[in-house]
Amino acid sequence: MVSSVAELREKYPELTDEHVEELHAVFQRARVAQKEIETFDQEKVDRLIRAVAWSVANKQTFKKLVDFSVQETGFGDPVTRMNKRFKIRGILRDALRQKSVGLIEEIPEKGIKKYAKPVGVIVSLIPTTNPELTPVGNAIYGIKARDVLIFSPHPRSKQTTYKTVELMREALRKEGVNPDILQCIKVKPNKAMSRALMAEADLVLATGGQDMVRSAYSSGTPAYGVGAGNSTMVIDETADIAEAARNTMLSKTSDFGSGCSSDGNLIIEASIFDKMVEELIKVGGYLANEEEKAKLEKVMWDENGKRLPDTVALSPQQLANKAGFEIPADRKFIMVMGDGIGKEYNFCKEKLTTLLTLFKYEGFDEAMRMVREIFEVGGKGHSCGIYSFNEEHIHLHALNAPVSRIMVRQPNSKANAGSFTNGMPMTSSLGCGTWGGNITSENIHLKHYMNITWVSYPIPEDRPSDEELFGEFYDPALEE
């Protein structure tokens, strides 16, 4: 049931009349579209997600969107951002390989059958760093699950998100279905409108800053959010240094380091430290001196250690110019030597730009301690990685790191949200578990867009004896 305009005015007095009228209109259209899409069969939703994905992911269209978004927001790299269209292909691949209508799974030995049902109307909050990727990724999974989606764009990138959604709506029209399966808010985005949208929805997908995620969790609506990142990579003495350096460059430079999975800290074993730094310089790194490092700190953090927004997703040349020095045109990222770990040390925090901090360790136990300490500063629950061929080191790192995903010998920002060379579910939203204040530690993918009905049949009794259950603690005398 959709609340009337009068009811919405009473519930949300902080909204303008224009916002209230659009809130009512989009939910009215969404509920109509919801009743239509929930009747679609598997073949139809699979056809629709192909159409919607191609409407955005083809090279010519995606390039126009990328160029427009960089112009609209004033940041980001139009060259490496183009690679995000391959993420759309990965999400489509994963969605097409799964069932989402009717009976989707059987477990005969347990007498269980599972049936998929839509969650309903989803409100998707779109980050300014991914205004052309996140909407289509969420749309693929949402349509596959027979949901409808309302997109709430970030004010800084609202036109890009609107253009992206309109392309997908046109694809739906061509397929003869209601385009209101996907809608985008057109009135000026603000926090009050976002709160109202979330409160009226059946599910919220909150991809963006921590204020947005906290607001989603307090909306009263079930929500999937993401935690802050502070990607930290361990490089031990067994690492292929050339591979580690190249992957670091790929991760650090993707869209000028704007992703929360972009490498922020390298913890390097002392015996290979100098060689690793040399290799990082070879692949495009610029090692800042102490004077330049001090200048960088001043433009990236305020006096209280809070990250300043106007150096997010800048090229290394732009970043250096902001700080008041120049670097060669062929440099791809800037490096600084770590000066300590703790909240008082800014360079061990999340950067979200083309800056990387280098730390040296002696003995793997020290590396593990440094990892824990860095994540106490920020990024707990998100992701990290390791360059090693020592399986014991990889095992110890997995036991030690308080994160939801660890990439082994992979460029973190291109791998942990799924890639064609690993088995992680493709997504643009990464749950960070209770460490990051999230309900799940998984990559947000198709299963999170569905309700599941479990149908249970009787099976032969499966009841172990008390001796098996309680082991040495079982005392039959106490049962008399």
Side-chain angles (χ1 to χ4, degrees):
M1 182 176 175
V2 180
S3 299
S4 68
V5 171
E7 289 171 330
L8 291 172
R9 280 203 183 98
E10 186 175 348
K11 287 168 72 174
Y12 309 110
E14 68 275 19
L15 293 183
T16 66
D17 287 346
E18 184 182 21
H19 283 93
V20 168
E21 287 167 7
E22 177 156 29
L23 183 67
H24 176 262
V26 294
F27 273 97
Q28 192 169 51
R29 292 192 294 264
R31 293 300 178 187
V32 171
Q34 180 191 4
K35 291 186 181 299
E36 295 176 26
I37 193 174
E38 66 185 15
T39 67
F40 292 175
D41 61 19
Q42 191 70 75
E43 183 180 2
K44 188 162 187 175
V45 294
D46 284 355
R47 179 176 175 83
L48 291 179
I49 63 175
R50 283 186 164 112
V52 163
W54 181 247
S55 73
V56 175
N58 71 82
K59 187 175 181 180
Q60 292 182 13
T61 300
F62 201 72
K63 186 177 189 309
K64 290 177 182 177
L65 289 171
V66 164
D67 290 344
F68 186 86
S69 68
V70 171
Q71 183 178 9
E72 182 183 17
T73 62
F75 63 72
D77 177 22
V79 176
T80 56
R81 187 175 285 195
M82 277 297 294
N83 293 328
K84 293 182 179 182
R85 67 194 177 94
F86 299 115
K87 177 71 69 178
I88 299 171
R89 286 159 167 78
I91 292 172
L92 181 62
R93 178 203 68 181
D94 285 1
L96 288 170
R97 288 177 177 176
Q98 300 175 74
K99 294 179 180 179
S100 63
V101 178
L103 177 62
I104 62 170
E105 185 182 358
E106 293 184 76
I107 312 173
E109 67 274 17
K110 291 187 177 293
I112 296 294
K113 292 184 177 181
K114 298 181 184 179
Y115 289 77
K117 311 285 178 65
V119 299
V121 177
I122 298 175
V123 163
S124 173
L125 307 180
I126 306 301
T128 188
T129 52
N130 269 329
E132 64 287 276
L133 170 63
T134 301
V136 65
N138 290 358
I140 290 169
Y141 283 140
I143 293 172
K144 176 79 178 190
R146 295 175 297 157
D147 301 319
V148 300
L149 293 96
I150 299 170
F151 298 98
S152 179
H154 189 283
R156 190 168 177 176
S157 53
K158 61 182 179 180
Q159 292 301 325
T160 303
T161 297
Y162 181 72
K163 285 177 179 288
T164 303
V165 176
E166 279 303 304
L167 287 166
M168 295 189 291
R169 283 171 58 86
E170 182 58 29
L172 293 174
R173 287 190 192 97
K174 288 180 179 178
E175 290 301 309
V177 302
N178 189 342
D180 292 334
I181 289 169
L182 305 174
Q183 297 182 76
C184 185
I185 296 301
K186 297 178 183 177
V187 294
K188 185 177 181 181
N190 61 31
K191 291 181 179 179
M193 183 62 163
S194 293
R195 286 193 293 268
L197 284 165
M198 292 187 291
E200 295 297 310
D202 299 313
L203 178 69
V204 175
L205 300 173
T207 306
Q210 291 306 290
D211 287 345
M212 173 197 289
V213 172
R214 281 190 285 269
S215 180
Y217 284 142
S218 63
S219 66
T221 299
Y224 290 113
V226 300
N230 191 16
S231 178
T232 297
M233 312 297 285
V234 174
I235 304 171
D236 78 5
E237 66 278 7
T238 71
D240 180 329
I241 294 174
E243 176 189 58
R246 180 177 179 276
N247 283 350
T248 298
M249 179 273 291
L250 291 173
S251 182
K252 183 75 271 182
T253 59
S254 179
D255 205 13
F256 290 155
S258 60
C260 49
S261 299
S262 176
D263 291 4
N265 308 292
L266 299 187
I267 299 176
I268 307 166
E269 210 279 331
S271 65
I272 62 166
F273 187 87
D274 291 342
K275 289 182 180 179
M276 184 66 195
V277 173
E278 288 176 13
E279 198 67 31
L280 288 165
I281 292 171
K282 189 183 296 184
V283 297
Y286 175 85
L287 184 59
N289 60 35
E290 287 301 309
E291 181 182 352
E292 292 165 338
K293 178 180 172 183
K295 291 179 177 179
L296 285 166
E297 186 170 19
K298 285 184 179 180
V299 297
M300 288 189 58
W301 292 277
D302 67 17
E303 58 187 15
N304 297 315
K306 183 179 179 181
R307 182 72 171 86
L308 298 171
D310 59 352
T311 52
V312 170
L314 296 183
S315 73
Q317 288 75 25
Q318 291 172 313
L319 181 58
N321 287 337
K322 279 265 189 186
F325 63 96
E326 295 185 1
I327 65 173
D330 67 344
R331 297 296 84 189
K332 299 177 180 179
F333 57 97
I334 299 174
M335 304 178 292
V336 297
M337 294 295 184
D339 51 6
I341 299 174
K343 293 188 182 297
E344 69 273 26
Y345 298 104
N346 289 323
F347 285 103
C348 69
K349 299 175 182 176
E350 185 178 39
K351 283 80 169 175
L352 297 177
T353 194
T354 47
L355 179 67
L356 183 66
T357 304
L358 310 180
F359 294 93
K360 183 187 298 186
Y361 77 87
E362 294 185 20
F364 201 70
D365 286 346
E366 183 182 10
M368 295 297 92
R369 175 186 59 77
M370 294 169 76
V371 166
R372 292 193 301 272
E373 290 178 355
I374 283 174
F375 284 116
E376 285 301 323
V377 174
K380 186 182 281 190
H382 199 284
S383 60
C384 65
I386 184 169
Y387 291 95
S388 173
F389 290 90
N390 183 323
E391 285 298 322
E392 179 64 16
H393 283 180
I394 296 169
H395 175 65
L396 290 172
H397 192 29
L399 292 173
N400 174 73
V403 299
S404 300
R405 50 198 65 81
I406 297 176
M407 297 299 106
V408 178
R409 303 188 299 272
Q410 299 172 73
N412 198 57
S413 70
K414 294 180 175 293
N416 67 9
S419 83
F420 292 109
T421 56
N422 70 29
M424 300 294 290
M426 291 276 195
T427 186
S428 60
S429 300
L430 303 174
C432 295
T434 56
W435 294 298
N438 302 156
I439 195 61
T440 181
S441 56
E442 295 182 294
N443 288 12
I444 308 301
H445 58 290
L446 181 60
K447 64 177 281 188
H448 301 99
Y449 289 71
M450 300 188 294
N451 285 319
I452 304 294
T453 297
W454 291 51
V455 177
S456 175
Y457 290 77
I459 62 173
E461 187 176 65
D462 179 15
R463 181 184 297 184
S465 68
D466 283 354
E467 289 87 345
E468 290 176 275
L469 288 171
F470 296 103
E472 65 182 280
F473 300 99
Y474 179 65
D475 183 353
L478 296 178
E479 289 290 282
E480 295 178 358

